Amino acid sequence: MSYLELSGLQKRYRDSVAVDDVSLSVEQGEAVALLGPSGCGKTTTLRMLAGLVDPDRGAIRLDGAEITRLPAHKRNMGYVFQSYALFPHLSVARNVGFGLEERGVGKPEIARQVEEALALVRLAGLDQRRPRELSGGQQQRVALARSLVIRPSVLLLDESLSNLDAKLRDTMRHEIRSIQRSLGITTLFVTHDQVEALTMCDRIAVMDRGRIAQIGSAEDIYERPATRFVASFVGRSNVLPATRDAEGRAVLWGETLPVAVPASGEFDLFVRPQRMRILPVSEPVSPGMARVHGRVLRSVFVGDHVEVLIEGVGGQLTVEMQSGSAAPAEGTEVAVAWPLSDTLPFAREAA
Amino acid sequence: MTGSTRLNLLVLPAVLFLLAVYVWPTLGLFRNAFNEVGPTGAMVEAWSLKTGAEVFADGFTFELTLNSLWLSLTSTLIALVLSYPVSLFLFRTNSRFRGLLAVIAIMPMLISGVVRVFGWLAILGDRGLVNTLAQSLGLISTPMRLVFNWTGVTIGLAESIMPYMILALLAGFGQLDRTLEEASRSLGATPFRTFLRVTLPLSLPALALAAGLGFVLSMSAYITPKLLGGGRVFVLATEIFEQATTNTNWPVAAMLAIYTLGLLLLLLAISNIAARRLQR
């Protein structure tokens, strides 16, 4: 049995289902991201873990013991809130020491551990400040230190980086990840930001409408999305409407592609733009490749890459080229090729 | 014309109105306080401190002051203890009846003070609800004296200032955030410890604000001490009214009124400083 087990968790509100059926196993020391759009139930799942929301159904087991109905203050979970939730009336030191005081730890020991925790998040010397005297990034570190100092069974991070500016977010991402690794602390990280999920966690659970759509490594999720939702939520994809020929093969823009397609119903082919390459019309492609023809509509320089928009008989698609390579001129007739293995067919959902 | 000048003009009617119905009469009051009362009992125009000396040499003024302060203190504390949980509930509830509950809580404010006093008479009187119930349960043999004394006035006054205090508390709860309580609980504090360490400290500015307001309202209350006191409860407000109407001694009434006003301003200043300290 895993260190942390969620099984069949459900939470309904008056007229909506926040979490429908979530089961998840997390090993000790593992970092797992709950990734999904807002309203997918990821925060509610986290709150159920912390004991801040009572599940209607299902069970939570921690280290073999059932904690489903245990009140929040007996759970020993370190919860870092999106708004940080620092106590405005207490100094940084007393904020960080709050949990230790509640555990009846002696004053000298609290002082020692608080100092250590503040050093860990690189805030040494700011212990007498009030939270509002700190910058957003510093507040974030205090919140993290406050949750770490109690040596939580599980560290729960709720969109903890979303209030920081892009640059700081990047720094904090790496810092939190390295602290998490060095302390070997089991972590659940709720986010709607896929970069955060991909870079900070060992495994990612993509959530969709109160359920886990797919769980796996960053690579699994990105390369082998299990559902149409995962494919469209994680990373960018060309969504290409295709048809089926008499032998059940996919037909895209007049070209037959030997990829497995759904037996019935309408479907689209998902292809990542950076897996596509632009070739001269005359150049042949090797067997394992798909190839269609089109005309260059325009190219957009986006810094580290160039996006080339191509129009063909069946619609448009975007190819991502590395910048530096010469983009074909607008109006040029070209061929677009990509590995057949990178072509993912998904049935179109009933509207 | 700049935008801010135009905005300033918008307050002009209000300023003029206040000048006419508040500032001017208050100045008149000041003027009266330095007039004298002639041998016939008629007011004599003067600029003397005779009335002032008379008022402050009288031990009764001191007694009235203590009575007023004590009455205001007790009713404010009672009202504060009762209003705090109500406001806390209203502040936090997600109930769809929240609006309705808030209206019910401040409803007494919409009822005339006189009507409210008669309500209390029906409840607290010798043959009122409380006494009838206690007697029929055999708890007491003779009715308790709950009205026409300090007890009745304190109860009535506490109730009458509660709606104002509930509103003041709701307005002052700005810093109070559910997430902070959740953070406290997630850090291992029991609900009671969370209340002591987070909820209560963060409510202190609101409590100070509400207490200040309640105290000022109690000090200036007239109807409740007069009617529920049954002529046995003497406070500054009742005395001012007595002097002005029954004795038609305008200078003494004016002097007492100014004295009370000064007292209130002093108390407000103290409560303001306290609230600002607590906010920090």
Side-chain angles (χ1 to χ4, degrees), chain A residues 14 47 51-52 72-73 77 79 81 83 85-90 94 98-99 101-103 130 132 146 150, chain B residues 94-96 175 177 179-191 193 197-198 201-202 279-280:
Chain A
R14 204 174 290 148
R47 291 172 62 82
L52 300 173
H73 62 272
M77 298 274 182
Y79 200 114
F81 292 83
S83 59
L86 299 178
F87 305 120
H89 58 301
L90 300 179
R94 303 234 21 220
F98 194 96
E101 281 180 47
E102 289 305 318
R103 282 163 178 72
R130 284 296 172 89
R132 63 183 157 77
R146 185 176 70 174
I150 60 170
Chain B
N94 294 320
S95 161
R96 65 187 112 173
Q175 275 195 315
D177 175 356
T179 318
L180 295 175
E181 292 165 8
E182 291 179 347
S184 162
R185 275 166 57 214
S186 80
L187 290 167
T190 61
R193 292 278 305 162
R197 294 200 63 187
V198 178
L202 292 177
Q279 205 112 40
R280 223 170 282 156

Side-chain angles (χ1 to χ4, degrees), chain A residues 299-314:
Chain A
S299 10
V300 182
F301 181 74
V302 201
D304 54 351
H305 66 265
V306 181
E307 286 180 10
V308 184
L309 190 64
I310 304 222
E311 186 167 50
V313 287

Side-chain angles (χ1 to χ4, degrees), chain B residues 7-180:
Chain B
L7 274 181
N8 289 343
L9 276 179
L10 285 176
V11 288
L12 197 63
V15 169
L16 287 176
F17 182 77
L18 281 178
L19 277 175
V21 305
Y22 182 71
V23 178
W24 181 246
T26 308
L27 288 177
L29 203 64
F30 264 92
R31 178 68 195 89
N32 270 344
F34 298 97
N35 281 338
E36 284 174 17
V37 177
T40 58
M43 190 162 76
V44 181
E45 293 270 333
W47 272 111
S48 88
L49 292 172
K50 204 179 132 214
T51 311
E54 229 172 77
V55 165
F56 293 112
D58 193 344
F60 191 50
T61 307
F62 184 63
E63 198 187 319
L64 287 172
T65 307
L66 285 185
N67 283 352
S68 270
L69 290 174
W70 179 245
L71 176 66
S72 304
L73 188 71
T74 48
S75 28
T76 301
L77 285 180
I78 292 170
L80 199 61
V81 168
L82 295 175
S83 306
Y84 184 48
V86 175
S87 324
L88 215 48
F89 172 80
L90 286 175
F91 184 70
R92 287 171 165 175
T93 182
N94 294 320
S95 161
R96 65 187 112 173
F97 300 115
R98 181 183 170 168
L100 183 70
L101 292 171
V103 170
I104 291 174
I106 59 168
M107 191 84 99
M109 214 165 83
L110 310 175
I111 298 167
S112 143
V114 179
V115 174
R116 206 162 38 207
V117 164
F118 284 116
W120 277 117
L121 288 177
I123 294 170
L124 300 176
D126 283 358
R127 291 155 158 267
L129 194 68
V130 174
N131 275 316
T132 319
L133 205 66
Q135 273 174 310
S136 63
L137 288 174
L139 296 176
I140 49 169
S141 49
T142 48
M144 297 177 283
R145 304 294 329 229
L146 296 175
V147 282
F148 305 135
N149 55 15
W150 284 97
T151 313
V153 175
T154 310
I155 294 173
L157 205 53
E159 185 260 352
S160 76
I161 60 175
M162 266 182 68
Y164 299 94
M165 291 177 74
I166 288 171
L167 286 179
L169 285 169
L170 283 175
F173 278 153
Q175 275 195 315
L176 213 55
D177 175 356
R178 204 67 209 251
T179 318
L180 295 175

